[in-house]
């Protein structure tokens, strides 16, 4: 399989592109091109095409519109000090995309083909990659069920698409995010789709996100489906808790029980925090541990992490169990150190001793 190049013959001018990159934010503007590849049960994957970004036309009876058979990924290309561009752990996204596909009965895309499509788009759009630390080109691979029909069965056709958008901060790094701990709704249960990055998980989360906004909160924190007390993750991020301070601090994250999305940032921070000399734990953390730990001062910092959000401090937490704030409600020293170290590695400013960066061009 290969990527055929039919790039946009009418791309943004330098001035238009500069303006769009400077607008920052997340998902405001898209680059000039996209990649599209089709799969069918009969013929497998066809070559991908890199073509001008634009609308796609689908029959109203296309299965994805009815039964939500869709998966996606989120990854970033980072500008390096020598002017080159690198991806961060693209193999991890490719493998998770294949696992998500398997769970949703979509075709698994070969890891090499997935990476080839991402590299082709990044090479084509290299001028769209912002150069400041903390800014990057966010890449969104996704796949939809494209068979036309209303029968409820796995689609025998699929379309893979890849789009990119210049991104700055998802949240303002100077502020802590406020969270609403949902005890009414659940994100995932054992045997469900919590480990998969499928659109349906996000659709099901939005009513709780709305509730969070009503409560004056930025994000939802999900608890386990059975006891409604074990902290799992947030709407689009994993969570970390810091116990103690200085070199004796313990950096903890909820264990992957089968219902959490196994975040690539989460996994990277397990190594980064260890490299910085902290004790690292994957464990079970309850809502009581959170509230009591904050009250006693044992829990000193909390942060959320993900590709889009990078590392963002969590300040006030609200729920039907009460309201409490970690530390003084501003990003703590270990949160800042981990954020800066991770961004430093991604931008080639700190030694990449785990070999995570893959140079594209
Ligand atoms: N949890 C959820 C529900 C997410 O959507 C994301 C974002 O991708 C994450 C966690 C963090 O994953 P990653 O670090 O791979 O971006
Ligand atoms: C990401 O961090 O890539 C995500 O997918 C989170 C959110 C924007 C859905």
């Amino acid at each position: 399989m290969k990527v055929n190049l039919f790039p946009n013959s009418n791309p943004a001018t330098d001035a238009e592109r500069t303006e769009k990159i400077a607008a920052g934010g997340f998902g405001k503007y898209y680059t000039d091109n996209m990649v599209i590849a089709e799969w069918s049960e009969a013929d497998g994957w066809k070559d991908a095409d890199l073509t001008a970004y634009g609308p796609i036309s689908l029959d109203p009876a296309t299965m994805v519109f009815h039964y939500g058979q869709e998966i996606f990924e989120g990854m970033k290309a980072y500008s390096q000090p020598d002017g080159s561009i690198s991806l961060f752990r693209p193999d991890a996204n490719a493998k998770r995309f294949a696992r998500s596909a398997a769970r949703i009965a979509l075709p698994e895309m070969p890891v090499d083909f997935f990476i080839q499509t991402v590299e082709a788009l990044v090479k084509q759009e290299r001028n769209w990659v912002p150069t400041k630390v903390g800014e990057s080109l966010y890449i969104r691979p996704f796949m939809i069920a494209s068979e036309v029909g209303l029968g409820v069965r796995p689609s025998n056709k699929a379309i893979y698409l890849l789009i990119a958008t210049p991104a700055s901060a998802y949240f303002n790094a100077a502020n802590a995010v406020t969270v609403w701990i949902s005890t009414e709704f659940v994100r995932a249960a054992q045997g469900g789709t919590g480990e998969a990055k499928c659109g349906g998980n996000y659709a099901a989360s939005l009513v709780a996100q709305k509730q969070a906004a009503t409560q004056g909160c930025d994000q939802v924190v999900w608890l386990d489906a059975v006891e409604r007390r074990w902290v799992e993750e947030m709407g689009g991020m994993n969570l970390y808790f810091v116990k103690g301070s200085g070199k004796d601090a313990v950096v903890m994250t909820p264990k992957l029980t089968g219902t959490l999305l196994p975040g690539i940032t989460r996994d990277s921070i397990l190594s980064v925090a260890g490299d910085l000399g902290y004790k690292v734990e994957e464990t079970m953390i309850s809502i009581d541990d959170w509230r009591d730990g904050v009250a006693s001062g044992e829990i000193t910092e909390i942060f959320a992490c993900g590709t889009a959000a990078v590392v963002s401090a969590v300040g006030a937490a609200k729920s039907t169990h009460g309201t409490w704030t970690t530390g003084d409600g501003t990003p703590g020293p270990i949160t800042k150190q981990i954020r800066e170290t991770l961004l430093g590695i991604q931008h080639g400013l700190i030694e990449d001793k785990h070999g995570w960066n893959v140079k594209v061009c």
Side-chain angles (χ1 to χ4, degrees):
M1 264 102 57
K2 60 182 193 303
V3 184
N4 301 308
L5 304 180
F6 306 108
N8 193 336
S9 55
N10 187 24
T13 62
D14 287 349
E16 284 165 349
R17 197 179 56 244
T18 305
E19 194 181 318
K20 288 179 176 174
I21 293 173
F26 182 78
K28 263 193 212 148
Y29 297 107
Y30 295 87
T31 64
D32 298 309
N33 296 281
M34 62 185 192
V35 174
I36 182 161
E38 292 188 26
W39 172 90
S40 71
E41 204 165 66
D43 301 324
W45 286 101
K46 288 196 190 140
D47 281 354
D49 287 342
L50 182 150
T51 66
Y53 182 95
I56 56 169
S57 171
L58 291 170
D59 189 291
T62 302
M63 284 183 171
V64 66
F65 296 136
H66 303 278
Y67 310 121
Q69 211 187 342
E70 188 265 358
I71 56 167
F72 67 97
E73 266 305 321
M75 54 204 294
K76 283 177 168 173
Y78 300 87
S79 168
Q80 304 295 301
D82 64 359
S84 65
I85 313 281
S86 288
L87 289 164
F88 185 71
R89 305 186 69 182
D91 54 318
N93 293 97
K95 288 175 193 154
R96 189 171 64 188
F97 197 58
R99 290 196 306 272
S100 298
R103 178 62 185 82
I104 301 298
L106 279 168
E108 286 178 45
M109 193 167 178
V111 165
D112 292 349
F113 188 36
F114 176 97
I115 295 176
Q116 219 187 317
T117 64
V118 176
E119 292 192 342
L121 190 65
V122 171
K123 272 186 198 149
Q124 182 66 38
E125 309 292 39
R126 60 169 305 147
N127 292 336
W128 281 92
V129 182
T131 49
K132 284 193 206 134
V133 173
E135 300 186 359
S136 54
L137 187 67
Y138 181 84
I139 299 154
R140 171 55 62 86
F142 62 106
M143 197 196 301
I144 57 171
S146 57
E147 184 185 343
V148 174
L150 296 184
V152 181
R153 60 174 184 278
S155 175
N156 63 21
K157 286 191 180 139
I159 300 176
Y160 164 81
L161 287 133
L162 182 60
I163 56 174
T165 174
S168 62
Y170 195 78
F171 297 119
N172 181 346
N175 299 334
V177 177
T178 56
V179 296
W180 170 249
I181 305 172
S182 181
T183 45
E184 184 180 354
F185 300 107
V186 294
R187 174 181 177 277
Q190 293 294 338
T193 57
E195 278 185 330
K197 208 159 161 59
C198 58
N201 286 345
Y202 299 80
S205 76
L206 298 176
V207 65
Q209 179 65 38
K210 224 166 152 179
Q211 212 172 46
T214 309
Q215 295 291 333
C217 297
D218 302 306
Q219 282 286 317
V220 180
V221 168
W222 299 106
L223 301 176
D224 75 288
V226 179
E227 296 181 59
R228 307 271 173 112
R229 61 186 273 250
W230 302 107
V231 176
E232 299 214 318
E233 59 180 320
M234 302 213 324
M237 287 141 265
N238 293 109
L239 277 166
Y240 267 91
F241 294 75
V242 180
K243 247 202 248 173
S245 56
K247 279 292 163 213
D248 298 326
V250 183
V251 175
M252 311 182 300
T253 190
K255 195 160 135 176
L256 300 177
T257 53
T259 54
L260 284 73
L261 189 85
I264 295 158
T265 318
R266 173 192 179 280
D267 184 70
S268 307
I269 290 173
L270 286 173
S271 299
V272 166
D275 294 345
L276 289 169
Y278 300 114
K279 185 159 182 254
V280 179
E281 278 178 12
E282 294 180 81
T283 182
M284 302 291 282
I285 300 159
S286 71
I287 186 169
D288 299 322
D289 297 335
W290 183 346
R291 186 191 49 222
D292 298 348
V294 164
S296 71
E298 196 185 9
I299 293 179
T300 50
E301 300 180 38
I302 301 179
F303 62 86
C305 65
T307 299
V310 192
V311 170
S312 301
V314 174
K318 275 193 191 178
S319 77
T320 49
H321 297 247
T323 298
W324 56 90
T325 299
T326 308
D328 64 2
T330 62
I334 295 177
T335 302
K336 286 193 208 155
Q337 184 191 25
I338 289 176
R339 180 184 162 88
E340 278 158 27
T341 308
L342 184 65
L343 278 172
I345 296 169
Q346 290 166 332
H347 282 278
L349 300 167
I350 292 178
E351 188 197 351
D352 171 26
K353 56 173 132 170
H354 300 282
W356 286 331
N357 292 337
V358 175
K359 182 175 167 175
V360 177
C361 52

